[in-house]
Amino acid sequence: MNKIIFLLTAAIVVAIIFFVPPIKGLGELAKIIFFHVPTAWVAVVAFFSSAFFAAKFLRTRDFSADELSARAAKLGFVFVLLSTISGAIFSKLTWGAYWNWDPRQTTIFVLILIYGAYLTLRAAVTDEKIRAKVSAVYSLLSVLTVPFLVFVLPRMYFSLHPSPISSSGVEMDSAVVIVLIAALIDATLIFIRLMRKGD
Amino acid sequence: MKLSRCRFDAVSAIVRKDFLLNLRRRATFAAMMMFALTATASLSLSTGGALLDEKFLAAILWVVIFFAAGAGIAGTFDDEAQAGTLPTLKLYGDAQAILFGKMFVAFLSLVALSTFILPIFLILFDVGVEKIFLLLVTVLLGLIGLSAAGTLTAALTTSAAVKGGLFPILLFPVTLPIFLPAIRLTEISFTVAPVDSSLLVVVAAFDAILILAASILYDYL
Amino acid sequence: MTIQFDAVTLTFGKHKIFDGLSLKFGCGKIFGVTGANGAGKSTLLKLAGKIINPDSGKVTFPDEKKIAALSPEMKLYDGLTARENLKFFARLRGKILSDEKISELGRRTGLDMKTFGDERTENFSTGMRQRLKFAILLAVDADIWLLDEPTANLDDAGRENFFAEIQAAKPEKIILLATNDKLEADICDEIITLPL
């Protein structure tokens, strides 16, 4: 798996530098989008993975599920930070400001808060049985904010952020689309690889 | 039927018990009220005379309520754990009855808090309320969600035996789906803008979700 | 009606308290649980009452049966009076106590409700609190009694009362009594000694 990930990552980097046309008027730095989108995707995947393993732990009391839940959250925290920073840079290039509390920025910031709260809770509890239990409960409680962030928030506030699914594909160069999809797959593989660390 | 009757009895017993104890030992309650008063007064004092827009005022009101509520309900289970009464309560009381009893107590004390702080807030910041009914409904709906999430979080921090500071950190992201629409609705109530009733539905829906989630998750703590 | 332990294992931190413990408790007998400090007497009672769960193995517990317990860990509400405490815990179990019932419970446990009933328990001595806890135990009418050093702070008269009540209740209850006290051990029908 390591080799595949390495080759894929290398190929994507080469493709981004040499084959993807520069985005009009934004310069080379705007290519950070190929980093931003996959990391944001993994941050969300990790969040759901963490909640999934939390539910599994509460059902089975299997401590390996707790470990996976914790690892997903730790990885998610790193990815959400990377995504936020790269997103802020892209935001500066396109909208002229690093931060403006766009619904998507709010969403990702709430994810940072939840990950932060979850990891602080884990750090604060020393007894591993109790730690597993309370962090699983918190993980499932915090996942309830997702429907709000996804469905309600964007309707409450006007968003400048391009919609990830709809129309955007049409306007994009096919090379961009292919590289972006490859980058998403690559990032997901990296996440899975990191989840399996230690096996 | 008999079971639900027994639960209702137990819930009302817990509410009455906490009411009596709070009446005799007013420390927690007084701390919550004083926190709200101090926060409101210091904000009003430091922005004295400045013209604040409705959005900002609405946000201030909810921030004050959130942190005062934190001071009031963080100790819901911790106080009992420290007094050594929690094991007795858990042994004799049905878990769901304890949760809902405590949730109701939290809600009542937050209603008392808001009854106290809302008029003071409106006077000190010289806010003109255009839609008083909307404001009251919004506050009540907001407090329901806050009590549900707050009670579960209080149970969680007690179970984890972690001290005070963690409570607001854990509670805030979870109550955000209540806060953002509530702040918007509060802002609307201060102005002549049309009411967006879908936001009321959002808050009410999340109240229901949080109550249900608290009920399910409490059994695992 | 039985409580059954099947291969119960429980660890606290690195310390293994029970390793594959199998036991069975039924009606009509007083089961004494003895052992040195830290052997897990109180923990065994908590497992029996499903207050804590084992790491592995199973505790089978009769459905719909109610537990009452006496333990030094379980405190009463000091801000409430004796009568209020008694009424509150009975109410949690859906029972409404009349004044006559309260006086009767007071008589049976040796706590004069006329004198002390309306006094807050914060002024009570340890022995008086124990009598009140004992009255609560009787008031809630449970099927399972988990007793942890139940007479530790009682005087001779208090012990006599307690022993009489426990013998009278024995036929239709599962009774577990954790103790290191000679007199308490003497009333048990069967003794389980936990190794350290």
Side-chain angles (χ1 to χ4, degrees):
Chain A
M1 196 167 172
N2 286 351
K3 278 180 192 158
I4 300 172
I5 293 173
F6 184 76
L7 283 175
L8 186 58
T9 311
I12 291 166
V13 170
V14 170
I16 292 169
I17 296 174
F18 296 109
F19 298 112
V20 174
I23 299 167
K24 238 176 279 164
L26 297 177
E28 287 291 317
L29 192 57
K31 286 181 178 174
I32 200 166
I33 195 74
F34 291 103
F35 183 74
H36 169 65
V37 175
T39 45
W41 160 253
V42 170
V44 174
V45 169
F47 186 58
F48 282 110
S49 310
S50 179
F52 170 78
F53 288 117
K56 192 176 170 198
F57 171 77
L58 289 182
R59 263 206 335 271
T60 61
R61 299 277 158 181
D62 175 4
F63 282 87
S64 63
D66 171 59
E67 223 166 88
L68 285 171
S69 179
R71 194 180 296 164
K74 279 176 202 155
L75 290 172
F77 189 59
V78 174
F79 276 92
V80 82
L81 287 180
L82 292 174
S83 176
T84 309
I85 295 165
S86 57
I89 293 170
F90 191 72
S91 161
K92 178 73 179 170
L93 292 173
T94 52
W95 305 331
Y98 286 110
W99 205 262
N100 66 353
W101 290 113
D102 181 89
R104 298 222 182 261
Q105 286 179 329
T106 307
T107 301
I108 208 144
F109 201 80
V110 173
L111 271 188
I112 293 179
L113 287 180
I114 293 176
Y115 275 133
Y118 174 89
L119 294 173
T120 313
L121 178 66
R122 285 196 80 90
V125 185
T126 44
D127 184 300
E128 60 173 9
K129 280 184 214 167
I130 295 174
R131 182 173 57 217
K133 186 177 70 176
V134 296
S135 44
V137 167
Y138 189 69
S139 178
L140 290 172
L141 182 66
S142 60
V143 96
L144 294 175
T145 54
V146 170
F148 174 77
L149 296 171
V150 174
F151 297 114
V152 183
L153 199 61
R155 294 179 46 167
M156 275 178 69
Y157 301 93
F158 172 70
S159 177
L160 291 166
H161 193 286
S163 167
I165 317 153
S166 68
S167 66
S168 56
V170 187
E171 302 151 29
M172 269 198 268
D173 191 294
S174 62
V176 173
V177 177
I178 292 167
V179 174
L180 201 53
I181 290 173
L184 281 173
I185 294 170
D186 187 37
T188 313
L189 287 175
I190 291 173
F191 173 66
I192 294 171
R193 176 67 193 87
L194 291 172
M195 281 297 285
R196 291 171 59 181
K197 192 189 82 183
D199 277 3
Chain B
M1 202 54 215
K2 199 180 166 207
L3 188 74
S4 62
R5 166 95 197 125
C6 173
R7 269 192 192 168
F8 178 77
D9 269 2
V11 170
S12 74
I14 291 167
V15 174
R16 254 190 300 169
K17 184 268 297 176
D18 274 1
F19 185 73
L20 258 183
L21 285 176
N22 280 333
L23 214 62
R24 287 176 190 168
R25 304 236 164 92
R26 285 168 290 263
T28 310
F29 201 64
M32 181 168 75
M33 297 289 197
M34 281 313 293
F35 184 97
L37 183 62
T38 312
T40 309
S42 62
L43 283 165
S44 170
L45 201 70
S46 50
T47 57
L51 201 63
L52 304 170
D53 79 320
E54 286 81 13
K55 187 179 225 155
F56 187 66
L57 288 168
I60 285 184
L61 175 65
W62 282 98
V63 169
V64 167
I65 290 180
F66 177 81
F67 282 100
I73 54 186
T76 302
F77 293 93
D78 253 1
D79 294 347
E80 296 232 17
Q82 265 172 25
T85 52
L86 194 58
T88 328
L89 181 68
K90 281 188 165 174
L91 182 86
Y92 288 114
D94 170 80
Q96 292 294 313
I98 295 173
L99 175 73
F100 281 100
K102 289 292 187 186
M103 209 186 273
F104 203 63
V105 171
F107 176 69
L108 288 181
S109 55
L110 290 184
V111 168
L113 165 80
S114 307
T115 314
F116 167 75
I117 203 65
L118 197 56
I120 294 177
F121 177 88
L122 296 177
I123 291 166
L124 285 184
F125 283 100
D126 193 23
V127 188
V129 182
E130 296 291 332
K131 308 181 190 73
I132 186 79
F133 187 67
L134 176 68
L135 179 62
L136 295 181
V137 171
T138 303
V139 169
L140 279 182
L141 286 177
L143 295 185
I144 292 174
L146 192 55
S147 332
T151 308
L152 185 75
T153 309
L156 195 149
T157 50
T158 301
S159 183
V162 289
K163 283 288 158 250
L166 219 49
F167 183 82
I169 298 172
L170 294 173
L171 184 59
F172 183 70
V174 176
T175 46
L176 214 59
I178 303 273
F179 275 127
L180 292 180
I183 290 173
R184 174 62 70 83
L185 285 164
T186 306
E187 179 195 343
I188 293 171
S189 80
F190 293 161
T191 66
V192 288
V195 180
D196 184 354
S197 54
S198 69
L199 287 178
L200 279 172
V201 177
V202 169
V203 181
F206 268 91
D207 284 347
I209 290 174
L210 285 173
I211 292 172
L212 191 69
S215 169
I216 294 168
L217 291 173
Y218 183 74
D219 283 341
Y220 291 105
L221 283 174
Chain C
M1 184 167 81
T2 52
I3 300 176
Q4 196 162 342
F5 283 56
D6 288 311
V8 166
T9 302
L10 185 73
T11 47
F12 278 156
K14 294 220 162 24
H15 180 55
K16 211 165 212 170
I17 298 200
F18 299 123
D19 193 359
L21 182 74
S22 294
L23 290 167
K24 196 173 175 181
F25 305 105
C27 276
K29 274 184 185 172
I30 302 168
F31 293 90
V33 182
T34 63
N37 297 124
K41 296 186 296 291
S42 306
T43 311
L44 185 109
L45 260 56
K46 284 182 195 163
L47 281 168
K50 291 246 171 144
I51 295 159
I52 53 174
N53 292 314
D55 292 335
S56 67
K58 222 167 73 181
V59 178
T60 335
F61 187 81
D63 280 340
E64 297 280 313
K65 294 299 173 203
K66 300 210 154 156
I67 312 167
L70 269 183
S71 144
E73 276 174 38
M74 293 169 47
K75 301 272 168 38
L76 301 173
Y77 291 97
D78 276 348
L80 300 181
T81 67
R83 195 183 295 276
E84 284 163 348
N85 266 297
L86 200 49
K87 279 188 161 172
F88 171 65
F89 287 108
R91 195 72 198 271
L92 281 184
R93 287 287 171 85
K95 283 193 168 22
I96 294 164
L97 298 182
S98 63
D99 283 346
E100 297 90 77
K101 182 73 183 165
I102 290 174
S103 307
E104 183 215 312
L105 288 167
R107 268 198 308 282
R108 283 162 71 190
T109 54
L111 188 70
D112 182 6
M113 283 292 168
K114 267 213 189 78
T115 325
F116 300 111
D118 297 310
E119 197 157 324
R120 289 193 207 170
T121 56
E122 59 199 342
N123 305 321
F124 278 21
S125 70
T126 343
M128 280 164 74
R129 282 168 210 241
Q130 191 68 9
R131 285 169 191 241
L132 182 57
K133 285 186 188 179
F134 180 24
I136 292 167
L137 181 86
L138 295 175
V140 296
D141 199 19
D143 309 288
I144 295 157
W145 279 4
L146 303 174
L147 312 170
D148 195 350
E149 303 184 348
T151 65
N153 295 302
L154 294 182
D155 55 24
D156 288 344
R159 278 177 180 242
E160 288 309 317
N161 274 336
F162 184 81
F163 290 153
E165 290 290 344
I166 197 173
Q167 292 293 357
K170 188 164 86 173
E172 56 218 42
K173 290 192 199 308
I174 300 178
I175 301 176
L176 268 66
L177 196 158
T179 186
N180 275 328
D181 177 278
K182 179 85 180 53
L183 287 171
E184 287 181 358
D186 279 345
I187 65 160
C188 297
D189 302 294
E190 214 170 289
I191 299 266
I192 296 140
T193 305
L194 297 174
L196 193 60

